[in-house]
Amino acid sequence: MANVTVIGAQWGDEGKGKIVDWLASRADAVVRFQGGHNAGHTLVIDGKTYKLSLLPSGIVSGTLSVIGNGVVLDPWALRDEVAKVEGQGVTITDENLAIADNCPLILPLHRDLDGLRETAAGKGKIGTTGRGIGPAYEDKVGRRAIRVCDLAHLDTLEPQLDRLCAHHDALRAGFGQPPVDRAALLEELREIAPFVLKFAQPVWKRLKKVRRAGAKILFEGAQGVLLDVDHGTYPFVTSSNTVSGTAASGSGLGPNSTGFVLGIVKAYTTRVGSGPFPTELEDEIGQRLGERGHEFGTVTGRKRRVGWFDAVLVRQSCAISGVTGIALTKIDVLDGLEKVQICTGYRLRGKVYDYLPSHAADQAECEPIYEEMPGWHESTAGARSYADLPANAIKYIQRIQELIECPVALVSTSPERDDTILMRDPFVD
């Protein structure tokens, strides 16, 4: 099995960046297939930290990095990110970065609409990153999007701008805002077009060639299954499908290309923004886990909510996304706790559930049912073999495997690339 698809199996922020980077050093191509620059992947290599949002994690190691058609692309954010990473010594050219020419663009008007909606929503706000991701996906589905390939045909863009502005001008008027400045938008697009177009190509064709050569492709997901627009805690979700099946449609390769599905799972649970969180801890333990785990968003800097490991949700994510094995991250954050707890079910109005109900009101009322286990005082930080782990940490990992009905393939014991325990090799298993 040559290819690997990496997805988050919780609410995002599971540590995908480090795992993807670790795998990318052995891959021939890394592909982003959904989301936008609301993603945040942090890589630590030889003590040097790289923070990526749009760029696939393979770019740091020089691996062919592809932004697929399932991504919504903010070209100005991309240019800023490329400049930042190049400033850290990474070389980025059209040889190691490819952008799907049918990729939809995030425009300034999308960012405007995102902010206006969140401000007006008050207590009903979703908790978006405000980067225009949702409105850009809406225009894609509404067949109003301006895509990367359109940047090469700006002189004939007027009919598309008519459709786009007819929609956005009406929305802006409802918020008391002036209509879109079409001339200014066109000027901004003309200015950014040369930068984007040098990377633009039919990436499905390039990936097909890579695959036929027998090379290894790594599909890099963003966010997490619990933020999937269909399967997540709706409406507190992202605007794209985050499950593994999206790797096929978001890259232009077929469903038989996704290979080993690796679900990234934190040894506890976090989420950013609004929405249900059955195992959330608002006590000293929650504060401790948040501080030790440096739980602040890579993109937004927002403090993450923290809770115990929820086996119900991870089991559900693994089933929905066809996870072959999980990578368990941040086990070292639990070091030193007297007891650790795992959520094994929910109690809702006198009934026990082994899954999270779909309705937001039911989700908000779910009370976690916990199983308590002894903690460990020994350090797991930096362990590189299973034998280096404390006995109680091993028992914790084994119990997680049983409860989520999915094997552990990797265990990450620090942000450093090499502090990883390999139990099953996704590229050969």
Side-chain angles (χ1 to χ4, degrees), residues 60-74:
V60 176
S61 57
T63 306
L64 170 62
S65 297
V66 175
I67 296 176
N69 58 275
V71 173
V72 284
L73 180 82
D74 183 322

PDB file of all heavy atoms in Angstrom, residues 60-74:
ATOM      1  N   VAL A  60       8.697  21.831   3.524  1.00  0.00           N
ATOM      2  CA  VAL A  60       9.897  22.085   4.317  1.00  0.00           C
ATOM      3  C   VAL A  60      11.003  21.089   3.981  1.00  0.00           C
ATOM      4  O   VAL A  60      12.188  21.428   3.994  1.00  0.00           O
ATOM      5  CB  VAL A  60       9.558  22.041   5.826  1.00  0.00           C
ATOM      6  CG1 VAL A  60      10.814  22.204   6.682  1.00  0.00           C
ATOM      7  CG2 VAL A  60       8.551  23.137   6.171  1.00  0.00           C
ATOM      8  N   SER A  61      10.620  19.857   3.669  1.00  0.00           N
ATOM      9  CA  SER A  61      11.610  18.833   3.355  1.00  0.00           C
ATOM     10  C   SER A  61      11.917  18.760   1.859  1.00  0.00           C
ATOM     11  O   SER A  61      12.672  17.896   1.417  1.00  0.00           O
ATOM     12  CB  SER A  61      11.120  17.464   3.848  1.00  0.00           C
ATOM     13  OG  SER A  61       9.866  17.131   3.278  1.00  0.00           O
ATOM     14  N   GLY A  62      11.340  19.666   1.065  1.00  0.00           N
ATOM     15  CA  GLY A  62      11.612  19.699  -0.366  1.00  0.00           C
ATOM     16  C   GLY A  62      10.782  18.729  -1.180  1.00  0.00           C
ATOM     17  O   GLY A  62      10.989  18.582  -2.387  1.00  0.00           O
ATOM     18  N   THR A  63       9.822  18.059  -0.541  1.00  0.00           N
ATOM     19  CA  THR A  63       8.947  17.106  -1.233  1.00  0.00           C
ATOM     20  C   THR A  63       7.958  17.855  -2.121  1.00  0.00           C
ATOM     21  O   THR A  63       7.500  18.955  -1.758  1.00  0.00           O
ATOM     22  CB  THR A  63       8.178  16.264  -0.199  1.00  0.00           C
ATOM     23  OG1 THR A  63       9.107  15.665   0.697  1.00  0.00           O
ATOM     24  CG2 THR A  63       7.351  15.181  -0.863  1.00  0.00           C
ATOM     25  N   LEU A  64       7.597  17.285  -3.276  1.00  0.00           N
ATOM     26  CA  LEU A  64       6.579  17.885  -4.130  1.00  0.00           C
ATOM     27  C   LEU A  64       5.321  18.138  -3.307  1.00  0.00           C
ATOM     28  O   LEU A  64       4.763  17.218  -2.704  1.00  0.00           O
ATOM     29  CB  LEU A  64       6.244  16.961  -5.307  1.00  0.00           C
ATOM     30  CG  LEU A  64       5.018  17.371  -6.148  1.00  0.00           C
ATOM     31  CD1 LEU A  64       5.233  18.724  -6.807  1.00  0.00           C
ATOM     32  CD2 LEU A  64       4.706  16.295  -7.191  1.00  0.00           C
ATOM     33  N   SER A  65       4.882  19.381  -3.255  1.00  0.00           N
ATOM     34  CA  SER A  65       3.737  19.768  -2.430  1.00  0.00           C
ATOM     35  C   SER A  65       2.640  20.321  -3.324  1.00  0.00           C
ATOM     36  O   SER A  65       2.880  21.228  -4.131  1.00  0.00           O
ATOM     37  CB  SER A  65       4.165  20.813  -1.397  1.00  0.00           C
ATOM     38  OG  SER A  65       5.135  20.261  -0.518  1.00  0.00           O
ATOM     39  N   VAL A  66       1.434  19.772  -3.155  1.00  0.00           N
ATOM     40  CA  VAL A  66       0.326  20.076  -4.056  1.00  0.00           C
ATOM     41  C   VAL A  66      -0.845  20.653  -3.270  1.00  0.00           C
ATOM     42  O   VAL A  66      -1.264  20.089  -2.249  1.00  0.00           O
ATOM     43  CB  VAL A  66      -0.127  18.806  -4.808  1.00  0.00           C
ATOM     44  CG1 VAL A  66      -1.362  19.089  -5.653  1.00  0.00           C
ATOM     45  CG2 VAL A  66       1.010  18.263  -5.671  1.00  0.00           C
ATOM     46  N   ILE A  67      -1.373  21.776  -3.750  1.00  0.00           N
ATOM     47  CA  ILE A  67      -2.622  22.336  -3.216  1.00  0.00           C
ATOM     48  C   ILE A  67      -3.719  21.927  -4.177  1.00  0.00           C
ATOM     49  O   ILE A  67      -3.763  22.397  -5.320  1.00  0.00           O
ATOM     50  CB  ILE A  67      -2.532  23.868  -3.075  1.00  0.00           C
ATOM     51  CG1 ILE A  67      -1.449  24.234  -2.053  1.00  0.00           C
ATOM     52  CG2 ILE A  67      -3.879  24.452  -2.656  1.00  0.00           C
ATOM     53  CD1 ILE A  67      -1.203  25.729  -1.915  1.00  0.00           C
ATOM     54  N   GLY A  68      -4.580  21.022  -3.735  1.00  0.00           N
ATOM     55  CA  GLY A  68      -5.584  20.432  -4.611  1.00  0.00           C
ATOM     56  C   GLY A  68      -6.806  21.302  -4.821  1.00  0.00           C
ATOM     57  O   GLY A  68      -7.006  22.326  -4.144  1.00  0.00           O
ATOM     58  N   ASN A  69      -7.663  20.866  -5.739  1.00  0.00           N
ATOM     59  CA  ASN A  69      -8.861  21.623  -6.098  1.00  0.00           C
ATOM     60  C   ASN A  69      -9.884  21.716  -4.976  1.00  0.00           C
ATOM     61  O   ASN A  69     -10.757  22.581  -4.986  1.00  0.00           O
ATOM     62  CB  ASN A  69      -9.522  20.976  -7.313  1.00  0.00           C
ATOM     63  CG  ASN A  69      -9.899  19.516  -7.055  1.00  0.00           C
ATOM     64  OD1 ASN A  69      -9.048  18.648  -7.221  1.00  0.00           O
ATOM     65  ND2 ASN A  69     -11.123  19.250  -6.646  1.00  0.00           N
ATOM     66  N   GLY A  70      -9.776  20.844  -3.959  1.00  0.00           N
ATOM     67  CA  GLY A  70     -10.712  20.889  -2.847  1.00  0.00           C
ATOM     68  C   GLY A  70     -10.409  21.980  -1.842  1.00  0.00           C
ATOM     69  O   GLY A  70     -11.197  22.238  -0.927  1.00  0.00           O
ATOM     70  N   VAL A  71      -9.252  22.633  -1.989  1.00  0.00           N
ATOM     71  CA  VAL A  71      -8.844  23.730  -1.107  1.00  0.00           C
ATOM     72  C   VAL A  71      -9.429  25.039  -1.634  1.00  0.00           C
ATOM     73  O   VAL A  71      -9.589  25.217  -2.846  1.00  0.00           O
ATOM     74  CB  VAL A  71      -7.304  23.825  -1.049  1.00  0.00           C
ATOM     75  CG1 VAL A  71      -6.840  25.054  -0.274  1.00  0.00           C
ATOM     76  CG2 VAL A  71      -6.715  22.556  -0.446  1.00  0.00           C
ATOM     77  N   VAL A  72      -9.781  25.966  -0.746  1.00  0.00           N
ATOM     78  CA  VAL A  72     -10.081  27.333  -1.162  1.00  0.00           C
ATOM     79  C   VAL A  72      -8.848  28.180  -0.847  1.00  0.00           C
ATOM     80  O   VAL A  72      -8.338  28.161   0.267  1.00  0.00           O
ATOM     81  CB  VAL A  72     -11.351  27.891  -0.481  1.00  0.00           C
ATOM     82  CG1 VAL A  72     -12.596  27.301  -1.114  1.00  0.00           C
ATOM     83  CG2 VAL A  72     -11.360  27.640   1.019  1.00  0.00           C
ATOM     84  N   LEU A  73      -8.370  28.908  -1.846  1.00  0.00           N
ATOM     85  CA  LEU A  73      -7.046  29.532  -1.798  1.00  0.00           C
ATOM     86  C   LEU A  73      -7.137  31.046  -1.673  1.00  0.00           C
ATOM     87  O   LEU A  73      -7.719  31.715  -2.535  1.00  0.00           O
ATOM     88  CB  LEU A  73      -6.274  29.171  -3.073  1.00  0.00           C
ATOM     89  CG  LEU A  73      -4.867  29.747  -3.179  1.00  0.00           C
ATOM     90  CD1 LEU A  73      -3.895  28.894  -2.393  1.00  0.00           C
ATOM     91  CD2 LEU A  73      -4.439  29.830  -4.644  1.00  0.00           C
ATOM     92  N   ASP A  74      -6.557  31.583  -0.598  1.00  0.00           N
ATOM     93  CA  ASP A  74      -6.370  33.031  -0.471  1.00  0.00           C
ATOM     94  C   ASP A  74      -4.993  33.333  -1.056  1.00  0.00           C
ATOM     95  O   ASP A  74      -3.967  33.038  -0.432  1.00  0.00           O
ATOM     96  CB  ASP A  74      -6.444  33.451   0.997  1.00  0.00           C
ATOM     97  CG  ASP A  74      -6.339  34.953   1.189  1.00  0.00           C
ATOM     98  OD1 ASP A  74      -5.551  35.590   0.453  1.00  0.00           O
ATOM     99  OD2 ASP A  74      -7.024  35.500   2.074  1.00  0.00           O
TER     100      ASP A  74
END
